[in-house]
Amino acid sequence: MRDLRVRLALRFAAFVVCAVWLAGCANLIGSRASATLSAAILDQDDPLLVESGLPAYLLLIDGLIKRHPDNAPLLSAGAQMFALYGSRFADKQHAIALTTKARRYGERAICAEYEPACHWPGIGYDDLVAQLAKVDSKKLDSLFSYGVSWLANLNATSEDWAAVGDLPWVEAVLERGLALDEDYQNGAIHGYLGILNSLRPPALGGKPEVARAHFERAIELSQGRDLSIKVEYARRYARLMFDQELHDRLLNEVLAAPAEAPGYTLFNVLAKQEAETLLATSKEYF
Amino acid sequence: MRRASAWKPMDVLLRAALALALLSAASVRAADIKIATVAPDGSHWMEQMRGGADEIKMRTGSRVTLKFYPGGVMGNDAQVLRKIRVGQLQGGAFTAGGLAERYNALNLYGIPLLFRSLDEVDAVRAKLDPKLIAGLEQAGFVSFGFTEGGFANLLSNEPIRSIDQMKRKKVWVPEGDQISFLAMEAMGLSPVVLPVTDVLTGLQTGLIEMTFASPVAALVLQWQTRVKFRTDLPVSYSYGIFAIEKGAFNTLTPDDQKVVREVMTRVMGGLDHTARDDNKRAAEVLASSGVQTVSVNAADVEGWRRTVEGLYPQIRERPDVDKPMFDELSAVLADYRKSHP
């Protein structure tokens, strides 16, 4: 469950929450509040603290969405925050409920900005690809939230064949996002596409070399500061291809790197924990 | 002193002999059985196999360790067989067709349009599986039961409801599957041989117009993105085999062999039974992905069957077909049909 990296745009999410929540008292607190809050979460080096604190924000964003049901940025923030909490901090059953909610918010976010997307649930693959081609970069935040929240939900429900069936659709959404802005969130979309392309072995139609290129590019665009990319690269690609040298090198790099990096500290702390677990089972696996 | 010095070399020799004996006993007992599979790590199949391996390790006091190479990293069936031959691997999870190179009776269940229902499959497998497993063991592989892959259905971009709609359509046939090639030709189709990984591109470019797979396989291979119709007819039956090379298996002590047989037979039995629910669910998912289910009218199905059954004498004479087993299978099926009209 926790192994699918759902690294989210908390900066963006927190900004939206603050912007709407604090709209009435903006004069008192000022625009710096949102930046301070987002930094407090993303730069936090104590995942337990975030785990216990985040539910308050989930309740808050739920309430705000009730009041502003068609607000795309708010829905995007809801999709991403629920996906984050569901994929990183919840148990199996709860994760399904939380990420399902995330996915619904993601669907509503893109629907609020692009009317044809309101009919995407259940759409055929070719029709989706054709309509995605018309989504422009102004809608990228919503498109990204839609794709990432869907992916988090598929991961939580991966025992159902529906999750396997949906993978090409999610990949198409993320591919469009990448075409609109490769550098979005410092290469985060490359990271997700790296994961998607390393889910299947070559014998079953997988494209590990495509995965490898995505992971390498994600590392380059984040200037190596996002340690969770290296962990997924090791866990997904290196294990799939039985490349122990690459696996151990990536994970040792993660352990040697500082966790503190503006905007990445929380995920880097989690990445280091995962790197230790993966390294401990390296000998047994390879 | 003299006695002592006389005994010293003997003592050293004895100790050395003892150490060598212990060492060789340890190397026989601590068997590391390396197994290749295309199943990805983390899949249900791998979880069950790893669970079985843990139990074996525990019950044999770590003398038997199954080490897996998942995700097809060791190559396809033919490559895995080559690696087993040179001792680099000791076992693998194969497709029936892949292992038929060693024991060709394994091909029989996959004859196109052979079975009409899963009930027929159950009736035949109950009688013939033990014989096939025994035959495979004689051919050098110890197996612990087969796991169902299920019935493959036709998948196409145009609805296929009758034999006429299939005429001259370009259909995919897996590499090395001569029997399917013959059957497809007899039904008026144009078979195109491709590796399974090229089918998606083949459908996209029009190199092929039809393919076939079980619902689960279709989803894993993502064919639902390139086909619009699934003809709900059991075209051919597929199954997988987990087998360990007999020489490697025989290095285990009889007690350890018993443990491996007991545990892996149970694991394979469990996997065999989950396939039906998986395919049922996968068929629903295909439908919700926009792949419409179509049925063939009964008269046409009969026509196809007669056409393919007309090929049986020709199939029976092929050098890659086990004649006695083919006859036995035909007899079991005929008996079943007589008692289940």
Side-chain angles (χ1 to χ4, degrees), chain A residues 125-126 160-162 164-165 167-169 199-205 240-242 283-286, chain B residues 38 40-41 50 67-71 73 197 216 219-222 224-226 228 278 281 285 289:
Chain A
Y125 181 78
D126 289 341
D160 184 358
W161 285 99
V164 178
L167 288 173
W169 276 250
L199 289 179
R200 295 182 303 157
L204 297 176
L240 179 75
M241 301 309 287
F242 252 72
K283 206 174 159 193
E284 187 188 329
Y285 182 88
F286 289 102
Chain B
V38 290
D41 200 36
R50 285 195 195 281
K67 188 172 169 60
F68 294 100
Y69 294 87
V73 70
T197 44
V216 161
L219 281 184
V220 170
L221 293 160
Q222 303 194 341
Q224 79 274 26
T225 60
R226 293 283 162 238
K228 296 202 164 38
D278 285 348
R281 176 69 185 133
V285 173
S289 306

Side-chain angles (χ1 to χ4, degrees), chain B residues 118-161:
Chain B
L118 286 168
D119 289 339
E120 285 194 353
V121 169
D122 289 343
V124 167
R125 283 194 50 190
K127 292 225 162 112
L128 291 194
D129 274 13
K131 294 186 179 184
L132 290 175
I133 289 169
L136 182 59
E137 196 153 331
Q138 278 197 327
F141 279 93
V142 179
S143 170
F144 313 98
F146 304 153
T147 48
E148 182 164 285
F151 279 132
N153 302 133
L154 288 175
L155 301 160
S156 55
N157 274 319
E158 304 287 334
I160 305 290
R161 292 195 177 85

